[in-house]
Amino acid sequence: MPKLIKSINDAILVQPGEASKLAQRSTVADELFPEREAAEAETKENAKAIDGLQDALWAGRSRALLVILQGIDTSGKDGTVRAVFNRCGPLGVAVTAFGRPSEEELAHDFLWRIHMAAPKKGMIGVFNRSQYEDVLVVKVRGLAPADVVERRYEQINAFERHLTENGVTVLKFMLNISKDEQKERLQARLDDLAKNWKFNADDLEDRKLWSDYQKAYEVALDRCSTEHAPWRVVPSDRKWQRNAIISAVVRRTLEDMNPKYPKTDWKPSDFKIT
Amino acid sequence: MPKLIKSINDAILVQPGEASKLAQRSTVADELFPEREAAEAETKENAKAIDGLQDALWAGRSRALLVILQGIDTSGKDGTVRAVFNRCGPLGVAVTAFGRPSEEELAHDFLWRIHMAAPKKGMIGVFNRSQYEDVLVVKVRGLAPADVVERRYEQINAFERHLTENGVTVLKFMLNISKDEQKERLQARLDDLAKNWKFNADDLEDRKLWSDYQKAYEVALDRCSTEHAPWRVVPSDRKWQRNAIISAVVRRTLEDMNPKYPKTDWKPSDFKIT
């Protein structure tokens, strides 16, 4: 495990202060996980370990873990939640999906709804999309003035620093798929009747803006990969590689947080149950 | 399945308008599920079916399911969530545990925090404890005047009717364990070091009030088992029987809700992905 997690981090971490070079990053990870079967077994083992670690996290109730999943349409955010967190289950994990903001959300600053959904102590929170939408779709589609968007990178950094200084460990994953892979996945939503309901014509509009989104992601990765909350770019063309990578990082992060069952200030013999 | 679910309902449903006769209800269900292995296999199959049904529920996004789990300490509320809903996972299920109300919650009427946690369309919401605490612990411990508690039964009925009239199906399960079984489970929390953190000396105080709680439960069952949201009393001394029963009822309820994938108003050939 220690050696593997170092290889994974070397491959996917965006070093704070360095350029992310998104375009040069691979969307497959054959060198990390060459074999599907082994990768799937590893994911299962990691999911089991995460479940055990979350139990201790809950018992201690002093810290929380926030897992941010960002990626373009079809990049696999929901599938990641299932593979990594179903073993843990809804008792220990709260998922929040951030879609188009409501009127009330827009009436507040852009981090208000994000802060409301921050995981409480003892929990793992998973964000399906996040505060980064406000420097991604908002930037690409021109939904806010450029100078407002420009200020958000540092505001996000300050907010994430606040969370980490208050016991919330923040993990940020960008699910990186190729343009060809997205085409296949969108096509599958058209070809498979059971997937038709997932197809959204708007996704094609976003696809036309592919390079604008890539540029916006690159700026977000460059400016918001910090020591306290670095970005990781996950090769995601192969779902089983993506799941193996993310589950390994989540597991290792929880192991490093080292949650402990609280010590009791009594002896079992103090009590007699009648 | 249809025959089994009828037997289950006959055994556990509190018929609206009739006395619940809680004291006469069994805490084991050997006639329904005599064999552990078969019951566990059934639970797994039900959990898998629930997962598939929830997917359609989400796709349709027009209805929701609320599952209320009530029961005294150690009755197995968390364990039920794991057995029945982990397969579904945190994407489709939101669990809310209701503990001692906060100052802000107390500053509102007792249903305010409950309403805030109601499941959104497409989701399954699970309540670990619920509005019924306000006619159980509140009544037994005298935390509100008797006439205030007295009015709450009808208020709860009206609230649940409101939910069901607005697309939320409400399932209420009372996890019924015997006093002996609770003793064993509390003792296990003392004997097993890994479970020590779960032990709470307050639970012993509640245990001393066992018969008061049973009486308070009986009144809640008698007065709040309605046509729109009936109570079910689940024999819960054997966890595998409890899980098999609850998963069967949840599955059948979702099957009856019959969630449909939405029809699309386009043909796949309308789109060409480039």
Side-chain angles (χ1 to χ4, degrees):
Chain A
M1 186 73 185
K3 204 172 151 193
L4 176 62
I5 197 76
K6 187 177 179 317
S7 310
I8 291 176
N9 269 331
D10 287 349
I12 70 173
L13 203 66
V14 176
Q15 290 296 341
E18 295 182 15
S20 62
K21 295 181 184 158
L22 179 58
Q24 294 170 36
R25 287 178 180 260
S26 178
T27 56
V28 294
D30 289 346
E31 68 300 339
L32 289 172
F33 291 101
E35 283 168 27
R36 179 167 181 159
E37 219 167 295
E40 287 177 344
E42 192 123 8
T43 299
K44 273 198 182 152
E45 211 187 286
N46 288 336
K48 194 173 164 185
I50 290 166
D51 183 25
L53 288 156
Q54 197 281 329
D55 194 60
L57 191 71
W58 174 252
R61 240 165 289 194
S62 64
R63 310 202 53 193
L65 175 65
L66 172 59
V67 177
I68 292 177
L69 302 176
Q70 274 290 153
I72 53 162
D73 303 312
T74 77
S75 60
K77 301 178 286 294
D78 284 352
T80 301
V81 174
R82 292 183 77 92
V84 181
F85 296 109
N86 268 30
R87 177 73 190 231
C88 219
L91 268 186
V93 182
V95 179
T96 309
F98 293 97
R100 199 185 293 264
S102 69
E103 269 196 62
E104 188 181 15
E105 288 168 348
L106 284 172
H108 292 84
D109 75 274
F110 77 103
L111 292 174
W112 180 78
R113 65 174 182 162
I114 307 293
H115 210 155
M116 298 264 285
K120 62 177 88 170
K121 288 166 185 173
M123 293 290 288
I124 297 174
V126 179
F127 286 178
N128 179 331
R129 304 186 187 268
S130 67
Q131 59 269 30
Y132 286 96
E133 290 299 315
D134 289 285
V135 293
L136 293 167
V137 61
V138 169
K139 183 179 197 171
V140 170
R141 300 249 187 190
L143 304 175
D147 63 318
V148 169
V149 172
E150 180 59 28
R151 282 195 295 271
R152 286 181 176 169
Y153 300 99
E154 279 309 315
Q155 290 168 353
I156 288 172
N157 288 344
F159 172 69
E160 291 174 359
R161 174 183 291 278
H162 170 79
L163 291 182
T164 56
E165 286 178 353
N166 285 278
V168 183
T169 300
V170 179
L171 281 175
K172 304 187 295 201
F173 297 103
M174 185 231 173
L175 277 46
N176 192 26
I177 61 171
S178 65
K179 201 172 175 188
D180 285 347
E181 179 67 22
Q182 192 195 39
K183 182 177 179 178
E184 275 184 39
R185 295 187 186 181
L186 287 171
Q187 192 63 51
R189 290 183 179 180
L190 289 176
D191 297 343
D192 182 349
L193 280 180
K195 288 185 179 171
N196 273 187
W197 67 275
K198 288 188 184 178
F199 183 81
N200 182 343
D202 277 354
D203 294 355
L204 297 187
E205 296 308 306
D206 274 339
R207 182 170 166 81
K208 287 180 193 153
L209 301 167
W210 181 274
S211 66
D212 292 338
Y213 272 103
Q214 292 299 108
K215 274 180 219 148
Y217 264 105
E218 184 147 15
V219 175
L221 295 169
D222 288 351
R223 296 187 55 177
C224 297
S225 197
T226 56
E227 293 290 346
H228 57 273
W231 269 107
R232 287 175 171 85
V233 179
V234 181
S236 297
D237 276 1
R238 292 178 186 150
K239 297 171 184 174
W240 46 274
Q241 289 178 341
R242 173 201 76 203
N243 293 341
I245 290 169
I246 294 179
S247 63
V249 174
V250 170
R251 175 186 181 168
R252 180 52 183 258
T253 301
L254 283 165
E255 284 170 348
D256 287 346
M257 288 168 75
N258 194 16
K260 298 272 190 218
Y261 289 94
K263 286 204 177 100
T264 55
D265 52 1
W266 43 264
K267 293 188 305 294
S269 58
D270 292 348
F271 298 100
K272 180 150 174 53
I273 301 166
T274 52
Chain B
M1 186 73 186
K3 201 170 154 192
L4 176 61
I5 198 76
K6 185 174 178 325
S7 311
I8 290 176
N9 270 331
D10 286 350
I12 70 173
L13 203 65
V14 177
Q15 290 296 342
E18 296 182 14
S20 62
K21 296 181 183 157
L22 179 58
Q24 292 171 36
R25 287 179 180 258
S26 178
T27 56
V28 293
D30 289 347
E31 68 299 340
L32 289 172
F33 292 101
E35 283 169 25
R36 178 168 181 158
E37 219 168 296
E40 287 176 343
E42 193 121 9
T43 300
K44 273 199 183 149
E45 211 187 288
N46 289 335
K48 195 174 164 183
I50 290 166
D51 182 25
L53 288 156
Q54 196 281 327
D55 194 59
L57 191 71
W58 174 251
R61 238 165 291 194
S62 64
R63 310 200 53 193
L65 175 65
L66 172 60
V67 177
I68 292 177
L69 303 176
Q70 273 290 154
I72 55 161
D73 303 312
T74 77
S75 61
K77 301 179 286 294
D78 284 352
T80 301
V81 176
R82 293 184 76 93
V84 180
F85 296 109
N86 268 30
R87 177 74 189 231
C88 221
L91 269 186
V93 183
V95 180
T96 309
F98 292 98
R100 196 185 295 265
S102 69
E103 268 195 63
E104 188 181 15
E105 288 168 350
L106 284 172
H108 293 85
D109 76 275
F110 78 104
L111 291 174
W112 179 80
R113 64 174 184 164
I114 307 294
H115 210 156
M116 297 264 286
K120 62 176 88 173
K121 289 168 184 170
M123 292 289 289
I124 297 174
V126 180
F127 286 177
N128 179 330
R129 305 186 185 271
S130 67
Q131 58 269 31
Y132 287 95
E133 291 299 316
D134 290 284
V135 294
L136 293 166
V137 60
V138 169
K139 183 177 197 174
V140 170
R141 300 250 187 187
L143 304 175
D147 63 319
V148 169
V149 172
E150 181 59 28
R151 282 195 296 270
R152 286 183 175 166
Y153 301 100
E154 279 309 315
Q155 290 168 352
I156 288 173
N157 288 344
F159 172 70
E160 292 174 358
R161 174 182 292 278
H162 169 80
L163 290 182
T164 57
E165 286 178 353
N166 286 277
V168 183
T169 299
V170 180
L171 281 176
K172 305 188 294 199
F173 297 104
M174 185 230 173
L175 278 45
N176 192 25
I177 62 172
S178 65
K179 199 171 176 188
D180 285 347
E181 179 66 23
Q182 191 194 41
K183 183 177 178 179
E184 275 184 39
R185 294 186 187 182
L186 287 171
Q187 193 64 52
R189 290 183 179 180
L190 288 176
D191 296 343
D192 182 348
L193 279 181
K195 288 185 180 171
N196 272 188
W197 68 275
K198 290 187 182 177
F199 183 81
N200 182 345
D202 276 354
D203 294 353
L204 297 187
E205 295 308 306
D206 275 338
R207 182 169 166 82
K208 286 180 194 154
L209 301 166
W210 181 274
S211 66
D212 292 336
Y213 272 102
Q214 292 299 108
K215 275 181 219 147
Y217 264 105
E218 185 147 16
V219 176
L221 295 168
D222 288 351
R223 297 188 55 180
C224 298
S225 198
T226 55
E227 293 290 347
H228 56 274
W231 269 108
R232 287 174 170 86
V233 179
V234 181
S236 298
D237 276 1
R238 292 177 187 151
K239 296 171 186 175
W240 47 275
Q241 289 177 340
R242 173 200 75 204
N243 294 340
I245 291 168
I246 294 179
S247 63
V249 175
V250 170
R251 177 186 179 166
R252 180 51 182 258
T253 302
L254 283 165
E255 284 170 349
D256 288 346
M257 288 169 74
N258 195 17
K260 298 272 191 219
Y261 288 93
K263 285 203 177 103
T264 55
D265 52 3
W266 43 263
K267 294 189 303 296
S269 58
D270 292 348
F271 298 100
K272 178 147 176 52
I273 301 165
T274 52

